[in-house]
Amino acid sequence: MSASDESTSLLGVRARVVLPDFTLEIDERIAAKGVTALFGPSGSGKTTLLRAIAGFERPTRGRIVLGDRVFFDAEAGIWVPPHERPMGFLFQDARLFDHLGVSGNLDFGARRRGRGDTRFAFRDVVASLDLGPLLGRRIVGLSGGERQRVALGRTLLSGPELLLLDEPLAALDVGRKAEILPYLEKVTRRFGIPTVFVSHDLDEVVQLADRVLVLDDGQVAGEGATAEIVEGLDLGPSANRHEASVVVEGCVLRHDTRLHLTLVDLHGDTVSLPLADRLEEGAPVRLRVRARDVAIAIVQPEGLSIRNVLPGHVTAIRDGGAGAADVTIQLREDHLRAQLTRAAVEELGLAEGSAIFALVKSVSLDRGR
Amino acid sequence: MSLGAVDPTPIWITLQLATCTTALLFLVGTPIAWWLARTRSRIRPVVEAVTSLPLVLPPTVLGFYLLILMSPDAPLGRFWLTLTGDTLTFSFSGLVFASMLYSLPFMVQPLVAAFEGVGRGPIEAAASLGAPPFDAFLRVAVPLSKRSFLTAGVLTFSHTLGEFGVVLMVGGNIPGATRVLSIAIYDHVETLRYAEAHTLAAGLLVFSFAVLVLVYAFDRRARVRVG
């Protein structure tokens, strides 16, 4: 029931899509494996790109392939309509069929999948999305989060080879998002289905995606592993929209339910964060640490409320403009960035190679893999 | 005033005509409405105008051109004659054909509104789940529009019940074949048999009123300009 271990196929998209108010121009190959995020501000072309892959938008030129199957080739005159593409699409607004009820919607997907496709058994899908209690319900009256769970189940049951998620959390409030994210995380891993995920929310991207493709104004502005892209976001052309942060990977040591903490091992250092006991002990996690949440001490501090004190040394000090300095700190294996004032840098006498202690005020938990 | 006093044959012919017209218009009007609701073609306004013409044209104008089109000298009339051995003019088949054109807007307009209301969203969702266009139409668009199908059917049926001018031009007034309710009423009035005219006219009035009350009560979105 896990991912097919065939060699990873590539999703190749070379396309020009002209819409009334903007043009998407792209030439990319995306590994159809794990979760790839299409990230960028609204109006950057993320959804248009996803719709072109699914066949809902027809590019004026280019070529779209998955492995050796061609879905669109302008020169060869090939156009495969959306219903013949082995792709599942999760819409922002769920788009459940009101006249069918929850189980009717699930069956709609299941009845149309290829015969002999056993990857998504009804019971497994229902169990992994906790849909059991909803099966007898009507669509009207479901909450936004429940709708997205049913829509995701329906899509999986249709037996896609590629899952396309179009900002499935954007229409939900913060609480509902927190309710759905773990499910998205779980099914992409549980069923090993390659996923392309559109989002303009950096925390969602860090939590879900292995790789990121950054879009800006209809063009690719960057691509790479999630940690790499997140760290570079405040340096590139879209710098003013993003604050400096890094992503570090560790694994869960243990949960302390009395103090409501989860302890995470970062290659020998320990950090604590608010209790996240849905993670199993030993599970890998990704943490996003914002540069403005990191302070520096040159001696081991005592009598301090900050819990996370990590020894390291300075590897770079860059001018952050307006009297600010951006300091890169090497820990045992990971690195952090800290935002200080230039005055603080001078007073502490920081230079490349200085041994220091990094004080991390808060850590946001992102996902593990 | 009892119904026993009038010849019921025109009533039966009228009911048959309305039933045939409505049934055939479901088949013809639905694809037209689907196309109108979804097309981005530049000829859409032209097609829309053609389907709405019967609302504004005097029935005599429509009837006059249909009479010419359906006469055995015209291609359509000749084709029908060789196919069935019967003329299209002054026959029940001709009446059905004329009624279908005359009542077309009553079928098409509610369905266009319904299909536009369904929108592209659910159809795209169905396609992403592997449903071909006709499958998506049948299993998603039609069930989501079922109230409007009822509205369109009832309006078409009751509009056909009351038609007069087109029928008179195309079908004449042949007892037992093309003499429908409205023409029978006209005849009774012409011959000063007001009691019979009353019976039929009041029956039609009450029936039509009841139908419209039902339709508007059932489907508040019914967007039909009753011509």
Side-chain angles (χ1 to χ4, degrees), chain A residues 51 56 82-85 87-89 91 94-100 105 108-109 111-113 151 154-155 158, chain B residues 40 120-136 138-146:
Chain A
R51 288 176 58 83
F56 296 139
H83 68 273
E84 287 173 15
R85 301 189 186 194
M87 302 170 184
F89 201 105
F91 298 89
R95 298 193 184 177
L96 296 175
F97 304 134
D98 288 349
H99 63 293
L100 288 177
N105 272 274
F108 193 99
R111 272 207 310 273
R112 282 160 183 80
R113 94 177 121 201
R154 179 178 76 168
T155 297
S158 74
Chain B
R40 291 170 185 167
R120 287 182 185 270
I123 306 301
E124 281 182 356
S128 79
L129 298 169
F134 188 65
D135 186 14
L138 218 57
R139 306 261 174 250
V140 177
V142 171
L144 287 175
S145 316
K146 59 175 189 261

Side-chain angles (χ1 to χ4, degrees), chain A residues 59-321:
Chain A
T60 47
R61 60 170 189 250
R63 189 175 146 87
I64 296 173
V65 299
L66 178 61
D68 52 5
R69 278 169 302 174
V70 181
F71 298 117
F72 170 66
D73 189 327
E75 278 139 52
I78 296 172
W79 169 256
V80 177
H83 68 273
E84 287 173 15
R85 301 189 186 194
M87 302 170 184
F89 201 105
L90 189 62
F91 298 89
Q92 200 181 112
D93 50 354
R95 298 193 184 177
L96 296 175
F97 304 134
D98 288 349
H99 63 293
L100 288 177
V102 171
S103 44
N105 272 274
L106 296 176
D107 287 341
F108 193 99
R111 272 207 310 273
R112 282 160 183 80
R113 94 177 121 201
R115 284 179 186 284
D117 184 349
T118 55
R119 290 172 303 150
F120 305 99
F122 192 85
R123 275 205 341 237
D124 292 341
V125 170
V126 167
S128 47
L129 289 166
D130 293 330
L131 293 176
L134 300 179
L135 285 178
R137 298 269 299 275
R138 296 178 53 78
I139 301 304
V140 180
L142 293 185
S143 73
E146 287 168 338
R147 278 167 192 263
Q148 280 302 17
R149 261 155 64 202
V150 174
L152 181 58
R154 179 178 76 168
T155 297
L156 291 174
L157 287 169
S158 74
E161 289 169 36
L162 180 67
L163 192 57
L164 305 172
L165 309 177
D166 184 14
E167 305 213 34
L169 306 172
L172 306 176
D173 58 44
V174 176
R176 299 288 180 207
K177 270 183 202 179
E179 176 192 323
I180 297 299
L181 258 177
Y183 284 110
L184 285 175
E185 211 179 310
K186 187 165 150 192
V187 295
T188 50
R189 245 187 301 175
R190 163 87 168 75
F191 296 103
I193 179 163
T195 301
V196 181
F197 169 68
V198 162
S199 180
H200 65 263
D201 182 322
L202 195 54
D203 285 324
E204 274 172 39
V205 168
V206 174
Q207 180 155 358
L208 270 181
D210 306 307
R211 284 177 314 279
V212 182
L213 197 65
V214 184
L215 289 181
D216 198 7
D217 198 23
Q219 311 232 324
V220 174
E223 67 170 306
T226 303
E228 197 177 298
I229 287 292
V230 169
E231 187 165 359
L233 277 177
D234 64 306
L235 306 173
S238 56
N240 50 352
R241 286 198 292 265
H242 303 287
E243 57 179 321
S245 62
V246 299
V247 173
V248 293
E249 305 203 4
C251 66
V252 177
L253 273 179
R254 62 187 175 82
H255 302 293
D256 186 330
T257 44
R258 192 178 65 82
L259 295 173
H260 209 75
L261 290 174
T262 291
L263 300 180
V264 172
D265 173 60
L266 287 184
H267 302 105
D269 292 318
T270 303
V271 295
S272 60
L273 49 135
L275 187 67
D277 52 7
R278 67 183 166 84
L279 295 168
E280 284 164 35
E281 291 187 3
V285 287
R286 261 187 220 152
L287 307 174
R288 182 172 170 217
V289 185
R290 291 176 169 81
R292 67 175 156 104
D293 290 334
V294 179
I296 288 178
I298 45 175
V299 292
Q300 171 108 47
E302 283 171 16
L304 196 69
S305 68
I306 291 174
R307 306 294 309 157
N308 298 312
V309 178
L310 310 169
H313 61 271
V314 173
T315 54
I317 301 175
R318 270 192 308 267
D319 186 8

